[in-house]
Amino acid sequence: MLVFRKPLSGIDRPQMPADVVIVGGGPAGMACALRLSQLVDQHNTQNSDSQFSKENIYVLEKAREIGQHCLSGALLDPRSMRELLPGFEQEAPIEATVNKETIYFLTKNGKFKLPVTPPPLRDHGNYVISLNRFVKWLGGKVEEAGVTVFTGFAGSELLLDGNRVTGVRTDDKGIDKEGQKKSNFEPGYDLQAKVVILAEGSRGSLTKQLLTHFRLYSESNPQTYGQGIKELWEVPAGRIAPGEVIYTMGWPLTTKEYGGAWIYGGKDNVVSLGFVTGLDYTDPRLDPHHVLQEFKKHPFVSALLAGGKMIRYGAKSMPYGGWWAVPPLAGDGWMVIGDSAGLLNSQRLKGIHLAIKSGMLAAETAFEALRTSDSSAAALSQFQRKVESSWIKDELWKVRNFHQGFERGLWWG
């Protein structure tokens, strides 16, 4: 997670009016922007006397390029994408269609194959994707639709008027490590928005400000997290087929910790592998990064990687608290979507499809707010109701106690 210095005080900042500001250019934010654009186009086609503009819809993305902060190697449940862009498979950068799943329980030097694949881990029909390329493609769709994406701009502070969120302040440029202005100093912008949508991913800076200011977790369980350490490898041909998925549990974790590994076969002999460790572990000596390195030494994994080379690596936190840890999703002038809202299915190790769907529902709510000129808490609370009546809740409700079931260890879970 990147930490941004609080903007300097006493600075005359440029003001920019906006209808909707979406903070975060990942799957949730881009889906939200694209769906909002679709609704504007649909309205303008049907109502020649009442036209909406997309000029004041902005996406803020802190990375220098769209998709740059999205780690490659993921499985996509296509359900929400088929709602957003029917037939998207014809042009989206899909690596492979999942055609085989295997689950192993690892000991230090051996492995046991599970005789059956549990239903939540049956991935036939899902897609192996590079999330980096997929989000870059989705961002291109957003820009083609006429929505402005500001790359290299981080939202560093929420603008508030009492209990209403009125916009976002972007980060100052040209600040030294002591927090003083350098010769190339440029103040951040104040984007005054009718609706602010936070799509920052897990533990976003503005989302934490929002949760703290409005004490939103007083109405839900505290969020818990897992940390996924991920690497992308190019391996010799024939090691793993495109579309083959392998999950492991057990070693190098003990039965007291929660976590497991994944290995996804992509095209061109590229393999995504990683290990996610629940951060509610009790052993102070446990290091999630070290866990992945030990996992790679296992004879089964080392044989897969032998002669290959690592081409990319990174880490990501994942919200594991489930449905009971989802905070209120909307208020006066604001909505929270995707991982920022804790919408992730830890049983399936999947959240991209939930992020996309939540972005679409937030876009529909934001468009109605623009149409009626009402972005009050009462109006935007429609988003909460939309989520609770959608398949998002249907999916997360079934696994609402899944992570909590492992509180006493692996076998109890």
Side-chain angles (χ1 to χ4, degrees), residues 60-382:
L60 298 183
E61 169 50 48
K62 64 187 177 184
R64 293 182 181 179
E65 296 179 3
I66 296 173
Q68 192 175 52
H69 283 181
C70 295
L71 291 175
S72 294
L75 288 189
L76 173 69
D77 180 332
R79 182 175 185 178
S80 52
M81 277 303 301
R82 287 172 177 159
E83 296 177 9
L84 178 63
L85 290 173
F88 79 98
E89 293 95 337
Q90 304 302 315
E91 53 179 314
I94 294 172
E95 298 277 312
T97 302
V98 177
N99 52 56
K100 181 181 179 182
E101 311 98 342
T102 310
I103 304 176
Y104 293 102
F105 184 89
L106 301 185
T107 62
K108 185 172 183 180
N109 294 305
K111 66 182 189 300
F112 301 93
K113 181 180 177 181
L114 269 64
V116 295
T117 300
L121 298 180
R122 294 174 186 170
D123 289 309
H124 274 57
N126 294 332
Y127 299 125
V128 179
I129 62 170
S130 160
L131 191 58
N132 173 282
R133 286 198 289 270
F134 191 85
V135 169
K136 190 173 295 185
W137 168 78
L138 201 55
K141 289 286 184 184
V142 169
E143 292 181 318
E144 289 172 12
V147 174
T148 301
V149 180
F150 288 118
T151 56
F153 284 85
S156 61
E157 188 174 353
L158 289 174
L159 302 178
L160 300 168
D161 181 7
N163 286 328
R164 178 176 176 81
V165 174
T166 60
V168 174
R169 177 169 292 168
T170 65
D171 58 322
D172 297 328
K173 308 293 185 183
I175 302 292
D176 63 23
K177 62 183 179 181
E178 279 79 33
Q180 301 300 313
K181 293 188 289 186
K182 297 194 293 187
S183 59
N184 61 342
F185 172 77
E186 292 182 11
Y189 282 77
D190 281 355
L191 298 176
Q192 302 288 346
K194 299 172 184 175
V195 180
V196 172
I197 302 174
L198 300 181
E200 302 175 287
S202 179
R203 296 285 290 169
S205 302
L206 298 188
T207 307
K208 286 192 289 184
Q209 290 181 27
L210 186 81
L211 293 171
T212 301
H213 183 81
F214 294 112
R215 300 184 63 196
L216 296 182
Y217 271 135
S218 65
E219 303 180 37
S220 62
N221 285 351
Q223 187 61 266
T224 59
Y225 297 91
Q227 185 175 38
I229 314 294
K230 179 184 294 189
E231 294 182 352
L232 207 63
W233 280 71
E234 184 178 318
V235 299
R239 294 287 172 81
I240 184 169
E244 182 177 355
V245 171
I246 299 171
Y247 295 112
T248 79
M249 53 193 300
W251 193 88
L253 297 183
T254 72
T255 58
K256 296 180 180 180
E257 292 101 30
Y258 177 83
W262 71 86
I263 301 172
Y264 303 147
K267 65 180 182 181
D268 301 325
N269 301 311
V270 172
V271 173
S272 168
L273 82 157
F275 206 108
V276 62
T277 305
L279 296 183
D280 48 358
Y281 55 82
T282 58
D283 186 349
R285 299 166 297 178
L286 186 66
D287 176 358
H289 178 76
H290 181 69
V291 168
L292 175 65
Q293 305 313 312
E294 289 298 304
F295 170 72
K296 286 162 35 182
K297 295 178 184 177
H298 191 278
F300 171 64
V301 183
S302 62
L304 173 67
L305 301 179
K309 62 177 181 179
M310 185 177 67
I311 54 180
R312 195 177 180 192
Y313 68 94
K316 181 186 185 300
S317 60
M318 304 169 69
Y320 265 1
W323 183 257
W324 298 124
V326 174
L329 300 177
D332 202 355
W334 60 269
M335 289 180 276
V336 184
I337 61 178
D339 277 6
S340 289
L343 301 176
L344 180 135
N345 187 331
S346 63
Q347 187 186 63
R348 299 182 66 201
L349 273 180
K350 291 177 180 62
I352 299 172
H353 65 301
L354 298 169
I356 291 171
K357 180 62 176 179
S358 67
M360 295 170 63
L361 296 178
E364 293 167 9
T365 308
F367 178 77
E368 188 63 20
L370 297 180
R371 192 185 67 81
T372 60
S373 299
D374 182 5
S375 57
S376 65
L380 296 186
S381 65
Q382 288 292 328

